[in-house]
Amino acid sequence: MIIYLDNSATTKVSDDAAREMMNIMTNEYGNPSSLHSYGLSAEKELKKARLRIASALDADPSEIVFTSCGTESDNLAILGTYGSRMRKGNEIITSKVEHPAVLEACRHLEMLGAKVHYLNVNEKCMIDIEELKACINEKTVLISIMSVNNETGSIMPVREINAVKRDAVFHTDAVQAFGKNDIRANHADMISLSAHKIHGPKGIGALCFSKKTKPLPLLFGGGQEKGLRSGTENLPGIVGFGIAAEYYYRNKESIRSNIAAAKERLLCNIKNSISDIRINSPENGSSAILNVSFMGARSEVILHRLEQSGIMVSSGSACSSGKKGASHVLKAMGLSDKETEGAIRFSFGMYNTVEEMDYTAEKLKEAVEGFRKLGSYR
Ligand code: PLP
């Protein structure tokens, strides 16, 4: 039995998306730029997928650019906006708990002369809107704050930020929010998305942007995607993304309530059966993410022990878990080394069931208590 609880790292591609992608790869494999009938039918598929993504966000299809992933969408928003607005000013505001796709893009711009303000978060992984307001001035060209944090699930005050941004362009990385939380095109000037977090394929993302905030492209070439993202479109990926997004939004009530029930059951089981823990996810956070520290335990050891029982979890974000050192998110929240060392992220998807959560908690209890008794399994 496999219990997959790492859905914030990636998800299983839905059967419908996979089937249609196979059809595109093997039957309707035309290039959307070609003028013959295969090209025209590929272009039709591209349009259909763009409409599906736009509908999920209440956006106009012309406001959607397909990219190769969430990372590229973040980079296009940040580097592209800075490039188009650097004559107006050189200041950027972001937070200390952003995904590396945002933080590293900002660090790159610092080397080119940008001044970046990294907002603090409190122990609930929440920024302070007053600190943000105090940082905004006439040189602020860009604000980039994520919608949902990928390690703790904290939900940032996106609409409030949009209301106080003044002349800055507001970008939000909604990779963990899309589908699971309500995110609309009018909540921000630019919104980054990624397909593989909602049962679409890996290697395809999108940036939704309002017309007044056109970024400079990162890739130059054939002028696809209205010149914003040259390169032959990844049509199988785009079509799979469209199908996954449409399914998620059509069934969002039932998917969200299943996910919330799974999280609630696991949390309840953990609280009732394991002592000496710290819940790192805020109570009002995303239903899809539960981050818990087990004091006196080491997350990698717990993770491997759970894997032996067929349970897949994460010791932090997938992007940083291969790296040494504590999570930058938990550190920014002020957690001690003891608290970060034993942190596990459980993340839920539409295929999880509440029954799985009882078995998971049972195996977790064995792993944590065993570690605490012996010091280590290794
Ligand atoms: N932003 C956030 C918040 C994420 O969680 C991730 C992936 O984990 C990304 C961006 C990067 O997305 P992708 O894997 O599609 O590049």
Side-chain angles (χ1 to χ4, degrees):
M1 178 173 56
I2 295 296
I3 299 180
Y4 186 76
L5 288 173
D6 202 11
N7 290 280
S8 288
T10 197
T11 56
K12 174 180 148 91
V13 177
S14 74
D15 290 347
D16 286 349
R19 197 176 313 112
E20 198 45 39
M21 289 172 70
M22 183 61 116
N23 179 42
I24 297 286
M25 286 188 284
T26 54
N27 297 318
E28 302 196 40
Y29 49 83
N31 183 328
S33 299
S34 295
L35 296 179
H36 48 66
S37 61
Y38 270 41
L40 296 181
S41 93
E43 198 194 356
K44 237 164 83 187
E45 291 296 334
L46 181 59
K47 253 192 180 161
K48 220 193 304 175
R50 200 186 305 280
L51 183 60
R52 285 176 162 147
I53 304 294
S55 306
L57 289 169
D58 269 347
D60 190 273
S62 66
E63 297 170 340
I64 305 292
V65 175
F66 287 111
T67 63
S68 67
C69 55
T71 299
E72 188 189 329
S73 302
D74 285 342
N75 274 258
L76 177 59
I78 292 166
L79 305 180
T81 301
Y82 188 78
S84 70
R85 307 194 83 218
M86 60 196 283
R87 284 205 204 100
K88 292 199 172 94
N90 69 336
E91 297 198 19
I92 298 173
I93 303 171
T94 187
S95 82
K96 290 184 178 168
V97 297
E98 297 299 311
H99 189 272
V102 166
L103 290 175
E104 293 304 319
C106 286
R107 284 191 189 118
H108 174 72
L109 288 178
E110 278 180 308
M111 292 194 298
L112 302 180
K115 181 174 172 195
V116 184
H117 301 268
Y118 296 92
L119 300 180
N120 294 304
V121 292
N122 64 15
E123 73 290 351
K124 293 185 170 154
C125 197
M126 183 55 54
I127 60 156
D128 176 357
I129 199 88
E130 296 305 320
E131 188 189 358
L132 170 80
K133 280 203 253 175
C135 288
I136 303 177
N137 62 48
E138 65 288 348
K139 289 197 210 142
T140 310
V141 286
L142 176 68
I143 299 171
S144 181
I145 304 287
M146 67 204 323
S147 305
V148 168
N149 182 269
N150 50 304
E151 292 194 37
T152 63
S154 67
I155 301 173
M156 295 295 182
V158 166
R159 277 181 257 187
E160 277 172 83
I161 299 169
N162 205 32
V164 301
K165 69 186 179 200
R166 287 168 55 181
D167 287 337
V169 166
F170 172 40
H171 162 249
T172 188
D173 172 341
V175 166
Q176 296 291 348
F178 186 55
K180 296 156 202 161
N181 301 82
D182 283 318
I183 180 92
R184 296 269 168 279
N186 64 3
H187 292 174
D189 297 310
M190 294 184 158
I191 302 175
S192 294
L193 311 174
S194 179
H196 71 108
K197 312 292 185 179
I198 54 157
H199 305 282
K202 294 165 189 57
I204 185 73
L207 182 68
C208 173
F209 64 99
S210 65
K211 290 190 184 77
K212 68 176 171 50
T213 57
K214 203 175 167 191
L216 291 184
L218 304 182
L219 298 187
F220 298 89
Q224 288 89 345
E225 297 295 282
K226 295 212 186 90
L228 269 178
R229 209 286 177 178
S230 284
T232 301
E233 297 86 348
N234 168 6
L235 196 61
I238 290 171
V239 166
F241 189 8
I243 289 174
E246 186 175 82
Y247 182 85
Y248 220 99
Y249 271 86
R250 280 220 176 123
N251 299 286
K252 68 178 182 195
E253 267 86 31
S254 64
I255 294 174
R256 287 177 191 177
S257 79
N258 281 353
I259 286 178
K263 175 178 170 176
E264 190 50 41
R265 178 78 149 249
L266 183 60
L267 179 59
C268 188
N269 282 339
I270 290 174
K271 279 182 177 166
N272 288 339
S273 62
I274 306 175
S275 61
D276 214 5
I277 58 171
R278 184 190 194 280
I279 311 292
N280 301 321
S281 296
E283 264 173 39
N284 58 356
S286 164
S287 303
I289 298 176
L290 174 62
N291 191 311
V292 185
S293 291
F294 299 92
M295 252 51 84
R298 280 236 315 281
S299 48
E300 316 86 83
V301 181
I302 302 298
L303 184 151
H304 290 305
R305 183 73 182 162
L306 288 177
E307 193 187 350
Q308 286 164 10
S309 305
I311 302 164
M312 311 293 168
V313 298
S314 165
S315 61
S317 72
C319 307
S320 60
S321 59
K323 294 182 188 162
K324 290 234 178 325
S327 140
H328 70 287
V329 175
L330 300 181
K331 273 214 287 213
M333 290 162 64
L335 268 65
S336 64
D337 288 350
K338 192 177 153 213
E339 288 165 327
T340 57
E341 265 167 27
I344 298 275
R345 179 186 71 178
F346 307 89
S347 50
F348 310 89
M350 67 181 189
Y351 298 124
N352 289 124
T353 63
V354 278
E355 290 72 32
E356 290 176 343
M357 301 308 129
D358 297 341
Y359 181 73
T360 300
E362 196 185 301
K363 293 294 160 192
L364 188 60
K365 181 177 161 68
E366 281 172 26
V368 172
E369 289 182 353
F371 186 94
R372 284 175 178 165
K373 219 181 278 165
L374 299 176
S376 168
Y377 285 104
R378 277 187 256 174

